[in-house]
Amino acid sequence: MHDPYSEGMSTSETRAASGLALVFAFRMLGMFMVLPVLATYGMDLQGATPALIGLAIGAYGLTQAVLQIPFGMISDRIGRLPVIYFGLLIFAAGAVLAATADTIWGVIAGRVLQGAGAISAAVMALLSDLTREQHRTKAMAMIGMSIGVSFAVAMVVGPLLTSAVGLSGLFWVTGGMAVLGILVVAVLPRAPAHIRHRESGVARQALGSTLRHPDLLRLDFSIFALHAVLMASFVALPLALVNEAALPKEEHWWVYLTALVVGFFGMVPFIIYGEKKRQMRRIVLGAVAVLVLSELFLWWFGDRLWSLVGGMIVFFIAFNLLEASLPSLISKVAPAGGKGTAMGIYSTSQFLGSGLGGVLGGWLYQQGGLGLVFAGCAALCALWLAVTWSMREPPYVTGLRLPLSAGAARNPVLTEQMLAVPGVSDAVVIIEEAAAYVKVDLKALDRAALDHLVA
């Protein structure tokens, strides 16, 4: 029997996935490169205060949080490409506004405008249009990897680039990256049709139940807190390296490179253990506890270079672990046909955390200096630990979307029959899509019986 899941990605699918991953990388580089430099170089701007620097760091997240889901829904109506082009042009315009500003308010306005180019949901929807079902998880993993790599590159390249061309030059480079993103989108394969896909897009019908799901809400709070702590810490860490450790800002790149590389390799064994042994709850709670300890360590001992480097390494082991684990937990916990909606709310929570974290970090620094920022981050992580303590071990399942034959779509008891197949834990039939969404344990699934039902 021919198994389409054994086929490799086609040339056009590979082009689409790698091209859209590149668009994400360009955009995220533009967002993240200012993180390690804004607190140090931004203080030279007219009117700059620590609180306003914090607002400039997090401002993009506020508009991104508000506009991401609406832009995704608009792309369902008018098409993906117009929304993506428009979003990248707005991002470029925000970069130009920030590059030409000589006041902190001009940079804040530019960052707000950059965030208004909220194309994440539209890009993921286009990816669904351009890839077949059996390769979609692989294509989405390519995008996830591009985001992680762009964050690491931004932490190192940001300080090096800013020391060479200044803060204004850095914003001009991010504007150029948005233009490159437009050129990449222009040469992508064209989608034959828009696919309404509940695994990658937000469904209005699923919003209410998703917002009432306690385990999903815990994960939404988790990503909110993680990115709030990240942004608040990056108000304090560059200043601590300059003021406490006397490290020139041009040399900060090697600190971030060391912390990120060790942090990446340090998290890998824990990810493998959590997935293999099905102990992700223990891994997540442990990582949050480590974040609490790393922030306390930075608060108490963050007055010397090597203690700052050590604290950041521990911070990034826990951060990378959570950044990699939480999206996979969303996929496991979301009900059948609800992953796209759950991911939309999750991403909105992430950007909201980025925005409010920057504001909070700047305000705390202005009120009580570096120590208060790290203490505030430790307190937020302790609250996060309390919120997630009652989380249950997630189900170790995978979501599938199965196109239905005309006969299967007319079967009134198809859902019950699918639920009776060994390894299927949840199922929903969406008649208007002529598709079924199922959650399955691949180790126990009778795939032949499931394929027989939908065919």
Side-chain angles (χ1 to χ4, degrees), residues 11-36:
T11 305
S12 68
E13 285 175 318
T14 304
R15 270 181 58 209
S18 54
L20 290 173
L22 204 54
V23 170
F24 253 104
F26 285 151
R27 195 164 153 278
M28 290 301 169
L29 267 172
M31 291 292 193
F32 291 142
M33 276 198 298
V34 301
L35 263 191

Side-chain angles (χ1 to χ4, degrees), residues 62-225:
L62 300 174
T63 39
Q64 185 97 356
V66 171
L67 294 173
Q68 191 209 197
I69 288 178
F71 269 35
M73 290 180 168
I74 290 169
S75 80
D76 285 338
R77 295 195 171 181
I78 68 170
R80 320 295 187 205
L81 292 180
V83 170
I84 294 171
Y85 284 134
F86 179 67
L88 288 170
L89 284 172
I90 286 185
F91 183 89
V96 171
L97 179 58
T100 54
D102 53 9
T103 69
I104 187 64
W105 286 107
V107 170
I108 290 169
R111 292 284 281 171
V112 167
L113 197 54
Q114 280 187 312
I119 59 168
S120 303
V123 169
M124 296 306 276
L126 179 60
L127 187 72
S128 290
D129 295 344
L130 292 171
T131 53
R132 287 169 293 167
E133 185 65 40
Q134 59 266 35
H135 298 305
R136 200 154 293 133
T137 301
K138 197 187 306 177
M140 288 180 176
M142 288 171 69
I143 285 185
M145 198 181 303
S146 78
I147 294 171
V149 170
S150 65
F151 177 77
V153 170
M155 291 296 102
V156 178
V157 172
L160 288 170
L161 200 54
T162 310
S163 69
V165 298
L167 193 58
S168 173
L170 183 69
F171 281 116
W172 281 115
V173 170
T174 65
M177 285 180 172
V179 174
L180 282 175
I182 290 171
L183 296 176
V184 170
V185 173
V187 298
L188 288 176
R190 289 296 174 256
H194 298 326
I195 300 172
R196 286 294 181 94
H197 197 305
R198 290 185 174 216
E199 293 293 277
S200 59
V202 173
R204 281 194 187 88
Q205 308 91 314
L207 277 170
S209 59
T210 304
L211 288 167
R212 292 190 299 270
H213 195 298
D215 287 335
L216 288 176
L217 288 176
R218 284 189 193 94
L219 294 172
D220 294 334
F221 183 78
S222 296
I223 197 64
F224 169 88

Side-chain angles (χ1 to χ4, degrees), residues 267-325:
M267 70 136 185
V268 171
F270 297 102
I271 289 275
I272 293 170
Y273 168 80
E275 289 289 351
K276 291 263 187 194
K277 302 292 186 182
R278 301 196 167 188
Q279 293 287 341
M280 286 308 298
R281 177 184 179 274
R282 179 182 295 178
I283 292 296
V284 168
L285 293 177
V288 179
V290 169
L291 279 183
V292 176
L293 295 174
S294 70
E295 294 289 348
L296 290 174
F297 179 86
L298 289 167
W299 177 23
W300 293 331
F301 305 109
D303 57 353
R304 293 180 297 279
L305 178 59
W306 290 107
S307 58
L308 280 168
V309 173
M312 287 172 65
I313 286 172
V314 174
F315 174 89
F316 274 111
I317 290 174
F319 174 85
N320 290 339
L321 184 54
L322 290 159
E323 186 79 354
S325 302

Side-chain angles (χ1 to χ4, degrees), residues 218-267:
R218 284 189 193 94
L219 294 172
D220 294 334
F221 183 78
S222 296
I223 197 64
F224 169 88
L226 183 64
H227 278 258
V229 166
L230 177 72
M231 293 297 167
S233 295
F234 269 98
V235 174
L237 285 169
L239 293 170
L241 288 171
V242 170
N243 299 333
E244 304 296 324
L247 185 70
K249 53 192 177 185
E250 296 80 14
E251 295 181 26
H252 288 193
W253 64 271
W254 69 261
V255 175
Y256 301 125
L257 179 62
T258 303
L260 282 162
V261 170
V262 178
F264 174 77
F265 287 106
M267 70 136 185

Side-chain angles (χ1 to χ4, degrees), residues 415-430:
T415 303
E416 289 79 1
Q417 288 176 335
M418 287 192 295
L419 287 170
V421 172
V424 175
S425 61
D426 193 11
V428 62
V429 174
I430 309 297

